[in-house]
Amino acid sequence: MNKPLRRVAVFCGLLVLALLIRVNWVQFVQSDQLKNDSNNRRVAIERYSTPRGNIIVDGKAITGSTTTDSGDFKYKRTYKNGKMWAPVTGYASQAFDSNQLEKLNDAILTGTDDRLFFSRTVDMFTGGKQKGGNVVTTLDAKAQKAAFDGLGDKKGAVVALNPETGAILALASTPSYDPSTFAGMTNKDAEAYNALLKQNNPDDPMLNRALRQTYPPGSTFKVVTASAALQNGLYTDVDSKTDSPVPFILPDTAHQPLNNEGSIACENVSLREALRVSCNTVFGKISADLGNAKMKAEAEKFGFNNAKIDTPVRAAESVFPKDNRPQNAMAGIGQASNRATPLQMAMVASAVANGGKLMRPYMVDQLVAPNLNVVQQHTPQEMSRPLSPENAQKIQSMMETVVKEGTGTSAQIDGVTVGGKTGTAQHGENNKDNPYAWFISYAKTGKGTPVAVAVVIEGSDTLRGDIAGGKLAAPIAKSVMEAVIEGER
């Protein structure tokens, strides 16, 4: 072969080699990037060519799929009682993607998860269409309905946990929305979606207040402050007098008193009495006496300052701040820069109810293949131990006094031991806006402690004082606890 031909052959060989390298690069290295590219229409068409798997509550699907004539997509998502379940499911939309459980479990629901390889292989050989798997939740339908109905037209949230496992039994947020209204990709779907956005709707119905909104926890945080006092040995007997002057002047201030609500007697009262009537002076001074470092450490054992609490939907970080002495005293009564999600305060009640052991919250029990084989089973996990068993029992006895003869009497349930704590958190600059009404609680039966609940109501028009939590939030918590107990029976 002469020299020019040899050069041409070498050049052609290099071109073929470059082509092979490029093909392999595209097929293997860039495959995921191309597959997930928003401009890859074929992937989207394939995704909506079959019904989506379902999200399951109490053995029944709360989602579904229906055929659609809009565009190239054959199926779109449907929801049963979508407004009630939206804080749990999130949404799956042809036009606006997905979020929450729909997003986090998309591979299982669409059938593309690697763990469904055997199922896909069987479908390929039998000629069947690819099917999605199911997401089995821990939710209790009756508890969820009690929470959603209890909130009604109020703006707020409810979280109920099983203290012994961490399973989420109810997760409600209002106002809410129906994900079915924008599951497709028509102009009507776009209008429905845009109408829900915060810039177009100040009530922000798409905000998951149970997981993603933080509030000053108000007097419900006094449970954490009491726990810090016992754990650090500041006090050991919940029925002995405390060193609590009235007025209590905030540290490093000359004349700034921390006031109590109304005319309640709080001078040197016991921890039990202080929690029963909700003395700001007692718990503010405890926080000041312990100091910011010890208060912060105890709050963190309950879950504060943890940016990675995944349910699997990630919760917003609840914050007990590193702060100066006067602000630390205020944080000890759930004010200042102290912020908590409803999930976080349900975790506080749950840890107390579970003998001081905090279980990691979760709401997905199983991921199930189309052939009903379990591909993932959740195992309950201990998160921390903010209280010794002995001190947990002491806090329980205090919280039970609050419900028996304190500000939480409206949460009483016949034949059931209920512990709770009301709270009214200041809201707005100089406390000018109506306060947030809180209630945290748990219920004990002869079979154990099946439920702990946190309820928050935004912008209540009830009179100030902890009784706001007792009037507005406690009855909702009671109905949720009753629903869970009835299910246990």
Side-chain angles (χ1 to χ4, degrees):
M1 182 182 293
N2 59 36
K3 191 172 183 180
L5 288 176
R6 190 164 54 247
R7 287 177 176 174
V8 169
V10 170
F11 180 70
C12 289
L14 290 173
L15 289 177
V16 171
L17 178 61
L19 180 62
L20 290 172
I21 292 173
R22 178 59 180 169
V23 167
N24 281 275
W25 178 266
V26 170
Q27 288 185 333
F28 297 100
V29 178
Q30 290 187 308
S31 60
D32 287 340
Q33 178 184 343
L34 294 171
K35 178 180 178 181
N36 296 318
D37 193 298
S38 59
N39 296 313
N40 190 344
R41 186 79 176 164
R42 292 182 179 180
V43 173
I45 291 172
E46 179 65 22
R47 180 183 183 188
Y48 296 108
S49 66
T50 57
R52 192 173 175 87
N54 286 311
I55 296 174
I56 309 295
V57 174
D58 289 344
K60 298 178 182 179
I62 59 172
T63 57
S65 296
T66 187
T67 55
T68 175
D69 296 327
S70 60
D72 300 323
F73 300 155
K74 185 175 181 181
Y75 289 93
K76 71 174 182 178
R77 195 55 142 171
T78 61
Y79 297 85
K80 299 174 183 178
N81 205 343
K83 283 189 175 183
M84 185 173 83
W85 291 112
V88 175
T89 62
Y91 62 80
S93 169
Q94 293 175 347
F96 303 105
D97 198 12
S98 56
N99 73 348
Q100 297 185 190
L101 289 189
E102 292 276 29
K103 179 75 169 182
L104 294 170
N105 297 286
D106 187 69
I108 285 287
L109 293 167
T110 58
T112 59
D113 193 285
D114 290 343
R115 291 169 290 184
L116 302 181
F117 174 78
F118 177 76
S119 179
R120 291 199 303 271
T121 302
V122 171
D123 290 339
M124 182 177 65
F125 282 109
T126 60
K129 289 190 175 182
Q130 179 175 302
K131 301 182 185 71
N134 293 334
V135 176
V136 180
T137 73
T138 61
L139 277 291
D140 181 314
K142 290 181 178 179
Q144 182 75 6
K145 187 176 189 305
F148 185 71
D149 290 350
L151 288 170
D153 59 0
K154 305 178 188 72
K155 188 181 294 185
V158 178
V159 177
L161 300 174
N162 181 329
E164 297 170 1
T165 64
I168 296 175
L169 305 176
L171 190 81
S173 175
T174 55
S176 188
Y177 66 97
D178 184 357
S180 296
T181 60
F182 57 92
M185 57 182 307
T186 66
N187 289 337
K188 186 177 179 180
D189 291 287
E191 290 172 2
Y193 178 80
N194 288 326
L196 294 170
L197 298 178
K198 187 176 182 179
Q199 60 263 35
N200 301 322
N201 189 330
D203 286 336
D204 201 4
M206 295 180 75
L207 172 64
N208 189 333
R209 289 171 167 81
L211 296 178
R212 300 297 305 164
Q213 181 67 32
T214 60
Y215 305 86
S219 292
T220 59
F221 190 81
K222 291 171 182 174
V223 172
V224 177
T225 303
S227 299
L230 294 174
Q231 286 294 106
N232 287 281
L234 181 64
Y235 296 108
T236 57
D237 185 350
V238 299
D239 291 306
S240 295
K241 287 186 176 181
T242 59
D243 179 15
S244 308
V246 176
F248 169 60
I249 305 300
L250 290 173
D252 301 334
T253 68
H255 306 289
Q256 182 62 48
L258 176 58
N259 297 315
N260 294 305
E261 289 290 340
S263 58
I264 55 175
C266 290
E267 185 173 4
N268 298 328
V269 297
S270 68
L271 285 178
R272 185 188 303 279
E273 180 64 11
L275 198 71
R276 186 184 77 83
V277 298
S278 205
C279 294
N280 292 336
T281 49
V282 174
F283 292 100
K285 187 168 187 298
I286 286 173
S287 189
D289 289 345
L290 290 174
N292 184 250
K294 289 180 179 179
M295 283 296 300
K296 186 168 174 284
E298 181 65 13
E300 288 174 353
K301 290 177 183 178
F302 277 103
F304 283 78
N305 300 333
N306 186 339
K308 294 183 179 180
I309 297 180
D310 299 331
T311 66
V313 180
R314 178 159 293 181
E317 182 178 2
S318 298
V319 177
F320 188 89
K322 181 179 180 180
D323 223 330
N324 59 34
R325 282 168 30 95
Q327 290 299 296
N328 174 67
M330 294 298 296
I333 64 168
Q335 296 291 169
S337 299
N338 192 338
R339 293 291 184 274
T341 62
L343 172 67
Q344 174 59 73
M345 296 316 296
M347 290 164 61
V348 169
S350 178
V352 172
N354 197 37
K357 183 192 298 184
L358 176 61
M359 302 300 289
R360 187 171 296 277
Y362 69 101
M363 62 176 155
V364 175
D365 185 44
Q366 294 178 337
L367 300 180
V368 181
N371 61 5
L372 302 184
N373 285 339
V374 176
V375 298
Q376 181 175 307
Q377 173 69 56
H378 182 86
T379 302
Q381 301 172 359
E382 181 180 327
M383 187 171 171
S384 61
R385 297 207 179 191
L387 283 162
S388 67
E390 296 78 12
N391 286 336
Q393 289 181 355
K394 293 176 182 179
I395 299 293
Q396 286 176 22
S397 71
M398 292 164 59
M399 292 178 69
E400 288 160 19
T401 298
V402 170
V403 174
K404 287 177 183 176
E405 53 192 64
T407 58
T409 54
S410 56
Q412 293 175 359
I413 301 174
D414 289 343
V416 176
T417 300
V418 178
K421 181 68 189 84
T422 54
T424 305
Q426 294 179 0
H427 178 207
E429 187 176 350
N430 297 321
N431 198 17
K432 66 180 179 63
D433 297 324
N434 288 332
Y436 299 120
W438 278 94
F439 191 70
I440 63 172
S441 62
Y442 62 83
K444 292 193 294 187
T445 69
K447 297 180 179 179
T449 308
V451 60
V453 183
V455 179
V456 65
I457 305 296
E458 292 186 26
S460 73
D461 55 4
T462 303
L463 294 175
R464 294 181 186 277
D466 283 344
I467 199 65
K471 285 184 176 178
L472 289 175
I476 300 174
K478 175 182 177 178
S479 65
V480 174
M481 291 187 289
E482 286 177 326
V484 174
I485 293 167
E486 184 63 30
E488 291 282 313
R489 290 171 179 166

